C-alpha cells in the first residue's frame, strides 16, 4: 500500500530534551516536506527536500533540523524543544510535475501530536 | 510575497445548499493550485488541482473549482451540500519557478446544517 508513515503518533516531552520524529514514504517521491498545523494558522511549511541531500527552509524553520540521507526517509529533529513547538506535525511527500520542476499533489502522513511541557 | 488567502475561517450551509469556499493567491509566475480536505482527526487528502489546461477542474465528491487568472482566484464549489462534507478545507499553491515551497491557506471549516 502506498503510504507515508510517521512515528511516533503522539509524544509528550519536556523543554530541552532532544527528539526526532521519523517520516518514511514508499512511493519513490522526490519531494518531501514537514508542516506544522496550529489552530487559525493552517499548515505552515517547516522544511522541504527536493531530493537526497537537498533540503531548504520553509516559512517556519527556526528550532528544527532535517536531513535527507535516503530518498524514502525525512526525519524532523528538534534539538531543544520549547513549549511554542507544541503542535500537530505532518510529513508529506510528492512527485515532481517534471524533473527538477514544481511539486504536485502532496500525500500526507497521519500526523504527530507533540506536546512540549 | 507569495501567499494564499482563504476568506472565512468558518462557513455554514444548509444541507442541499450551494457550497462556496473562497481562495485567492498572489503570484508573479504561473501557479499550481490545490484544494485539500481534512476530516476530523485525519490527515489531508486531495480534492482537486489545477496545473495547466482547462481552468474548470472537477474533483472528488462532486466538488469543482475554477482558476481565474484575472482575479487570482481558485474558489471551490459544490452544488448541493451533504452532511458528510463537514470538514476543514485548505487551499494551497506551489509555483512553476522561483521556489519549491508549498504554501497553504489558513483553512475554512465547513459546517453543514440539517
Amino acid at each position: 500500500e502506498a503510504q507515508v508513515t510517521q512515528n511516533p503518533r503522539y509524544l509528550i516531552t519536556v523543554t530541552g530534551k532532544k527528539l526526532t520524529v521519523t517520516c518514511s514514504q514508499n512511493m519513490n517521491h522526490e519531494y518531501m516536506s514537514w508542516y506544522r498545523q496550529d489552530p487559525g494558522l493552517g499548515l505552515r511549511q517547516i522544511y522541504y527536500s527536493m531530493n537526497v541531500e537537498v533540503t531548504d527552509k520553509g516559512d517556519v524553520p527556526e528550532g528544527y533540523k532535517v536531513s535527507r540521507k535516503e530518498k524514502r526517509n525525512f526525519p524532523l529533529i528538534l534539538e531543544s524543544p520549547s513549549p511554542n513547538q507544541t503542535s500537530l506535525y505532518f510529513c508529506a511527500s510528492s512527485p515532481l510535475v517534471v524533473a527538477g520542476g514544481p511539486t504536485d499533489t502532496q500525500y500526507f502522513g497521519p500526523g504527530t501530536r507533540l506536546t512540549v511541557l | 510575497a507569495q501567499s494564499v488567502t482563504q476568506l472565512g475561517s468558518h462557513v455554514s450551509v444548509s444541507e442541499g445548499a450551494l457550497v462556496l469556499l473562497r481562495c485567492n493567491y498572489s503570484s508573479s509566475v504561473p501557479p499550481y493550485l490545490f484544494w485539500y480536505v481534512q476530516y476530523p482527526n485525519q490527515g489531508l487528502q486531495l480534492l482537486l488541482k489545477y496545473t495547466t489546461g482547462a481552468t474548470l477542474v472537477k474533483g472528488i465528491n462532486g466538488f469543482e473549482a475554477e482558476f481565474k487568472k484575472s482575479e487570482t482566484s481558485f474558489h471551490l464549489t459544490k452544488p448541493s451540500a451533504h452532511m458528510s462534507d463537514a470538514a476543514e478545507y485548505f487551499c494551497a499553491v506551489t509555483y512553476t519557478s522561483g521556489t519549491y515551497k508549498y504554501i497553504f491557506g489558513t483553512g475554512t471549516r465547513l459546517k453543514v446544517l440539517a
Side-chain angles (χ1 to χ4, degrees):
Chain A
E1 179 191 355
Q3 61 182 346
V4 178
T5 57
Q6 294 178 228
N7 283 293
R9 294 288 311 280
Y10 301 90
L11 180 60
I12 300 174
T13 190
V14 296
T15 299
K17 186 176 182 181
K18 181 180 179 180
L19 66 92
T20 299
V21 184
T22 64
C23 173
S24 183
Q25 52 99 359
N26 62 1
M27 295 170 279
N28 201 36
H29 287 163
E30 296 87 357
Y31 189 95
M32 295 187 75
S33 181
W34 277 101
Y35 302 89
R36 60 178 290 174
Q37 183 177 15
D38 302 289
L41 298 178
L43 276 81
R44 294 178 293 168
Q45 193 171 39
I46 302 170
Y47 271 95
Y48 63 91
S49 169
M50 292 293 288
N51 215 323
V52 176
E53 303 292 1
V54 181
T55 62
D56 206 349
K57 296 177 181 178
D59 288 330
V60 289
E62 294 77 20
Y64 304 95
K65 284 178 57 177
V66 293
S67 66
R68 186 97 181 268
K69 293 185 171 58
E70 304 166 284
K71 196 172 185 179
R72 62 183 291 127
N73 296 324
F74 191 46
L76 180 69
I77 302 159
L78 284 71
E79 296 264 358
S80 183
S82 63
N84 64 11
Q85 294 178 297
T86 292
S87 187
L88 178 59
Y89 290 86
F90 287 102
C91 180
S93 71
S94 85
L96 301 180
V97 175
V98 294
T103 56
D104 204 327
T105 304
Q106 302 274 291
Y107 293 83
F108 284 84
T112 295
R113 188 166 292 280
L114 172 65
T115 302
V116 183
L117 302 175
Chain B
Q2 294 147 333
S3 65
V4 175
T5 301
Q6 291 185 241
L7 288 176
S9 58
H10 292 80
V11 170
S12 294
V13 300
S14 299
E15 192 173 20
L18 172 72
V19 176
L20 171 60
L21 304 182
R22 299 180 186 274
C23 173
N24 289 88
Y25 68 91
S26 67
S27 176
S28 56
V29 298
Y32 286 2
L33 294 155
F34 305 81
W35 276 100
Y36 290 85
V37 61
Q38 184 180 34
Y39 298 104
N41 300 314
Q42 294 187 25
L44 281 75
Q45 62 186 84
L46 181 74
L47 267 181
L48 49 80
K49 66 180 180 182
Y50 168 79
T51 54
T52 58
T55 56
L56 180 64
V57 293
K58 296 185 185 299
I60 61 172
N61 301 336
F63 284 93
E64 63 182 37
E66 186 171 11
F67 170 58
K68 292 187 177 181
K69 184 178 179 181
S70 61
E71 299 177 9
T72 61
S73 69
F74 191 57
H75 302 330
L76 182 71
T77 60
K78 181 174 180 178
S80 177
H82 192 273
M83 298 297 287
S84 61
D85 295 327
E88 190 156 21
Y89 293 81
F90 293 93
C91 183
V93 63
T94 189
Y95 298 97
T96 52
S97 68
T99 178
Y100 295 111
K101 286 183 179 179
Y102 210 94
I103 301 172
F104 282 84
T106 52
T108 298
R109 187 169 296 279
L110 177 66
K111 186 174 182 179
V112 182
L113 307 170

